Amino acid sequence: MLLKLFPESWIKFTKYTIHTNKTTKHSATGHSNCRAVRETIRGGIRVGDILHIGSGSGRTATATAFATMAHSRAMKLRRERRHLAAFDFDHTIVAQNTDTVVRDLLPADVIASKDLNELVENDCWTEYMAEVFRLLHKQQVSESRIRDTIRGIPEVPGFVRLIKHLHKKLHFDLIIISDSNSVFIDEWLVSHNLADCIKAVFTNPAHFDETSGQLNVSPHHRQTDCKLSASNLCKGRVLEHFVIEQDLRNNIRYDHVFYVGDGNNDICPVLRQRACDFACARQGFAMEKHLLRNRNKLKLRPELLIWRNGFDLMEQILALPQLKELIESGTPAAAPPPPGVAAKDVDAIADGGEEAAGGARRASAVTPSNSTN
């Protein structure tokens, strides 16, 4: 097949030999590269992945390209299996709405002003909060008072314990996807010793201006595609992109994804979940009511868990048969090789890929690269 595809510059695989245009090349680097090439083809790299077979100096580039694919293939075979829990923040981890708690530091007549409320009516929540922060600054409400107010918001009972248990005992990856803002979430997490438990926070970026001291906020992103979400944050898109990125960049695949929320803006992410995942809706809140009322219409795939507090949710999670092995061992499992690939072949590919990677690094020192960062 390769000979038909490349009649002029061709390659032939023998035991540790690469032939290019009938010229045999033997070297320590060539030896490891060739092994990597053989194992790469055996491991399932598609012929469509081969873009160009050169001659002369191109032989090193060819071997390097195959070696890189071999190493990538080995890493994929060793993909790590983990579990992910994604949390909303307001009324999920914390018992109140962080935005409205801080807004209520304003005088009542300012909160009720027509100009401010028009922003809410026009579905511009981020712009609304930006104006709230401007008015707080005008009223000389200090940064320290805002931070103290955030730290004083209570948790939903049991959620600090739940987060620590999932992170430290069950080794879950934990993320937060929230329409609050980065200042509020970071301040609360740090004050409750949870910052190290959270892998990533996706929210509206905010900061206190160093000169004026005013709190500024901007949208996480702009979107018009998802009608279930606000224009500044589609939680479903964020969750989906995170899971894909973990798979492609870090070779982490999540066996189960738990999404924990309470509101209508938590509907989108659970509609993107798989049948092996879990949608965790707070009892008596909008998310639960919407899902129960429209479950058949929405064609909800994940298993639905209804929770009252963090203790209740942890009890339900620990009782899941899908997590029995994880709970008993206390460590995440390594991903098994794909069907038809023996464990010893994984090690062989990995060994070849690592050796070839050394050759690739040496080759890159003398070979110009067209890649950009």
Side-chain angles (χ1 to χ4, degrees):
M1 180 184 297
L2 292 173
L3 296 181
K4 291 181 180 180
L5 287 173
F6 307 106
E8 295 180 1
S9 296
W10 55 275
I11 60 176
K12 177 181 178 183
F13 299 105
T14 63
K15 183 179 182 181
Y16 307 124
T17 304
I18 298 179
H19 296 280
T20 307
N21 285 345
K22 299 183 180 180
T23 301
T24 303
K25 179 179 178 66
H26 290 275
S27 68
T29 301
H31 175 99
S32 61
N33 281 348
C34 187
R35 179 186 177 190
V37 170
R38 290 167 48 250
E39 296 294 349
T40 298
I41 297 299
R42 192 182 304 161
I45 295 296
R46 295 173 291 111
V47 173
D49 292 331
I50 303 171
L51 302 180
H52 177 70
I53 301 296
S55 59
S57 62
R59 291 177 299 191
T60 301
T62 299
T64 299
F66 275 112
T68 302
M69 286 190 284
H71 183 58
S72 175
R73 175 66 178 172
M75 293 303 293
K76 288 181 180 179
L77 291 176
R78 288 179 170 177
R79 178 178 281 115
E80 187 178 3
R81 283 173 24 213
R82 295 182 67 84
H83 296 80
L84 173 68
F87 295 89
D88 175 42
F89 192 67
D90 294 345
H91 293 296
T92 296
I93 293 177
V94 296
Q96 296 170 278
N97 183 315
T98 50
D99 283 340
T100 58
V101 167
V102 171
R103 180 201 62 189
D104 290 346
L105 296 175
L106 288 171
D109 60 320
V110 176
I111 295 173
S113 65
K114 179 180 178 182
D115 291 343
L116 193 57
N117 282 280
E118 281 182 351
L119 292 173
V120 177
E121 293 171 3
N122 293 330
D123 195 27
C124 302
W125 186 256
T126 309
E127 288 82 354
Y128 172 80
M129 288 308 302
E131 180 63 12
V132 166
F133 298 150
R134 188 188 70 80
L135 293 171
L136 285 168
H137 180 256
K138 185 177 179 180
Q139 294 284 331
Q140 298 183 337
V141 177
S142 66
E143 174 182 343
S144 60
R145 187 179 177 192
I146 292 174
R147 291 187 181 275
D148 287 344
T149 300
I150 291 298
R151 288 195 294 269
I153 298 175
E155 64 166 321
V156 171
F159 260 80
V160 170
R161 181 179 176 184
L162 170 65
I163 289 171
K164 289 182 177 180
H165 189 88
L166 291 178
H167 172 68
K168 296 178 180 179
K169 300 295 184 182
L170 300 184
H171 308 286
F172 270 51
D173 285 344
L174 308 178
I175 65 173
I176 291 173
I177 310 175
S178 169
D179 203 6
S180 180
N181 68 70
S182 57
V183 167
F184 292 175
I185 295 174
D186 292 346
E187 186 68 35
W188 197 91
L189 292 176
V190 169
S191 69
H192 289 77
N193 299 313
L194 294 177
D196 291 340
C197 298
I198 305 300
K199 189 178 187 70
V201 174
F202 301 94
T203 188
N204 303 303
H207 70 280
F208 283 96
D209 187 270
E210 293 182 0
T211 303
S212 67
Q214 179 178 320
L215 180 56
N216 297 311
V217 64
S218 56
H220 175 76
H221 57 219
R222 294 287 189 184
Q223 68 88 27
T224 56
D225 297 333
C226 180
K227 305 305 180 184
L228 294 172
S229 305
S231 60
N232 64 293
L233 178 62
C234 173
K235 294 184 177 183
R237 180 197 295 182
V238 170
L239 179 61
E240 198 169 60
H241 285 190
F242 177 81
V243 170
I244 292 172
E245 183 180 51
Q246 286 292 93
D247 188 6
L248 296 181
R249 290 191 178 184
N250 301 320
N251 293 313
I252 295 173
R253 178 163 294 175
Y254 294 113
D255 284 350
H256 306 290
V257 175
F258 293 75
Y259 185 85
V260 187
D262 69 280
N264 282 321
N265 63 352
D266 296 312
I267 300 298
C268 178
V270 303
L271 295 183
R272 304 192 188 207
Q273 289 184 288
R274 306 160 298 177
C276 59
D277 296 332
F278 298 87
C280 308
R282 189 176 183 183
Q283 188 177 61
F285 283 71
M287 179 184 179
E288 180 216 16
K289 294 175 182 178
H290 187 90
L291 291 178
L292 292 179
R293 185 169 60 246
N294 302 288
R295 189 167 188 171
N296 293 331
K297 180 181 177 180
L298 295 173
K299 298 180 180 179
L300 190 67
R301 290 187 295 268
E303 184 174 338
L304 183 60
L305 302 181
I306 307 298
W307 57 273
R308 299 184 305 277
N309 52 54
F311 301 114
D312 172 42
L313 181 56
M314 183 161 64
E315 184 177 330
Q316 292 187 60
I317 291 175
L318 294 178
L320 292 171
Q322 296 93 325
L323 300 186
K324 181 179 179 180
E325 180 181 346
L326 177 66
I327 293 168
E328 290 176 351
S329 66
T331 56
V341 179
K344 63 182 179 63
D345 291 332
V346 175
D347 294 332
I349 296 173
D351 293 341
E354 288 293 346
E355 294 171 5
R361 285 191 291 270
R362 290 189 292 274
S364 67
V366 295
T367 305
S369 173
N370 295 324
S371 65
T372 57
N373 293 328

